[in-house]
Amino acid sequence: MPADQSPTVRRRRLGAELRRLREEAGLTAEQVGVELSCHASKIGRIENGRSGVRALDLREMLSLYRVTDAKTRDQLTGLAKESRKRGWWHVYNDVLSPTTAEFLSLEASASQIRSYEPILVPGLLQTEDYVRGLMKGGRAGSSAEEVEKRVRLRMERQARFLAADPQQLWAVIGEGALRKRIGGAEVMRGQVQRLLLACDQPSVTLQVLPFEVGAHPGVEGAFTALSFPEQDEQDVILIEAMTSTLYLETEQQVSRYKFAFNHIRAAALAPAQSQEFLERMLHEHST
């Protein structure tokens, strides 16, 4: 396992392994819950990676699952300890919701990020001025200190993405996101220039979805799909709203959104045409 793998991904991998061991032992989550004096839902949260597992509970689970190999027990115990470590983003906890922190943890370990954004520039491609304009306008009531801390968080997130290898981003951006003047015309000129630079990055594929496309599978809103380097690691879909963040992880849900993304990118302008579109937008924001 890579040394920089995030706590959330470690927790998910531990949970998946514990589920596999439980099923091989022929036990249900309810039976394990009885043995550990807890509800079956707790076992489910551990197996889904939604919560960590205490050292005592882990030892009891491994005994129930008849895991006697010392090396395997040590590896799983080490994985549980690693999953409890804090990520780099913990210093921003005062401006981060738990679900956003979890997303950052998953994003940090993803090998491929597929993003569809109809009304905003994707966070990993936003300029500092764009972020500041977005935070000031979109978070009424936030103090200047909170805004600046959120800006620093976004910039650090981007820096870590750029330093990651070989993390890939495939972004489809709606025309509306390019015409909406977040922060004013000057800020948008800088933002479009940033997108043009991104077109030349080997780790980024950028497409524009113009208004003329009409109805398409992404009309219901933005979403992000995260894929991981381990073959047995399930993709995750993120849908973010004003007051909540929804994670979809079942095979059926993930397949539906991956299918939608493939249709969205097929409807969007090709990368070279998207670059030409961005150059026209740069001119429009200069007038």
Side-chain angles (χ1 to χ4, degrees), residues 105-144:
S105 183
L106 289 169
E107 181 186 74
S109 292
S111 57
Q112 185 180 58
I113 303 164
R114 281 162 288 186
S115 173
Y116 168 60
E117 286 284 357
I119 60 173
L120 293 174
V121 171
L124 290 173
L125 299 175
Q126 294 172 358
T127 65
E128 183 173 337
D129 287 338
Y130 183 96
V131 177
R132 188 171 288 109
L134 186 62
M135 296 299 174
K136 286 181 177 179
R139 292 187 175 272
S142 294
S143 67

Side-chain angles (χ1 to χ4, degrees), residues 224-246:
T224 300
L226 302 177
S227 299
F228 303 92
E230 295 80 8
Q231 291 185 350
D232 61 343
E233 188 72 27
Q234 176 65 52
D235 289 5
V236 176
I237 305 298
L238 169 77
I239 302 172
E240 197 168 11
M242 183 178 295
T243 59
S244 63
T245 302
L246 178 64

Side-chain angles (χ1 to χ4, degrees), residues 10-180:
R10 292 187 182 104
R11 197 166 64 237
R12 281 162 51 87
R13 291 192 63 77
L14 175 63
E17 184 64 13
L18 290 174
R19 181 190 297 110
R20 183 186 67 80
L21 291 169
R22 174 180 60 76
E23 291 173 349
E24 287 183 354
L27 297 172
T28 65
E30 288 75 14
Q31 290 171 320
V32 176
V34 169
E35 293 294 331
L36 269 62
S37 300
C38 67
H39 197 275
S41 61
K42 177 181 177 179
I43 307 303
R45 289 194 301 273
I46 291 172
E47 293 182 351
N48 290 331
R50 288 288 180 238
S51 64
V53 56
R54 298 185 306 165
L56 176 61
D57 288 341
L58 179 60
R59 287 197 296 271
E60 291 189 25
M61 292 169 82
L62 294 179
S63 296
L64 280 173
Y65 305 158
R66 299 186 292 277
V67 178
T68 58
D69 179 67
K71 183 178 179 180
T72 301
R73 293 179 71 98
D74 287 345
Q75 287 177 337
L76 294 176
T77 299
L79 193 58
K81 289 180 180 178
E82 291 294 313
S83 71
R84 291 192 288 271
K85 288 186 176 180
R86 290 179 171 182
W88 62 265
W89 49 86
H90 81 275
V91 297
Y92 298 99
N93 279 347
D94 56 332
V95 294
L96 268 182
S97 68
T99 50
T100 302
E102 183 172 10
F103 172 70
L104 293 179
S105 183
L106 289 169
E107 181 186 74
S109 292
S111 57
Q112 185 180 58
I113 303 164
R114 281 162 288 186
S115 173
Y116 168 60
E117 286 284 357
I119 60 173
L120 293 174
V121 171
L124 290 173
L125 299 175
Q126 294 172 358
T127 65
E128 183 173 337
D129 287 338
Y130 183 96
V131 177
R132 188 171 288 109
L134 186 62
M135 296 299 174
K136 286 181 177 179
R139 292 187 175 272
S142 294
S143 67
E145 183 181 0
E146 288 175 332
V147 168
E148 289 307 310
K149 196 162 189 179
R150 291 181 185 278
V151 172
R152 292 198 302 273
L153 167 63
R154 186 68 53 87
M155 292 301 102
E156 184 170 356
R157 174 187 166 199
Q158 286 188 21
R160 290 175 179 273
F161 164 74
L162 292 172
D165 184 29
Q167 204 170 34
Q168 303 288 315
L169 171 65
W170 193 325
V172 180
I173 306 174
E175 181 177 342
L178 302 172
R179 294 193 178 278
K180 191 183 302 293

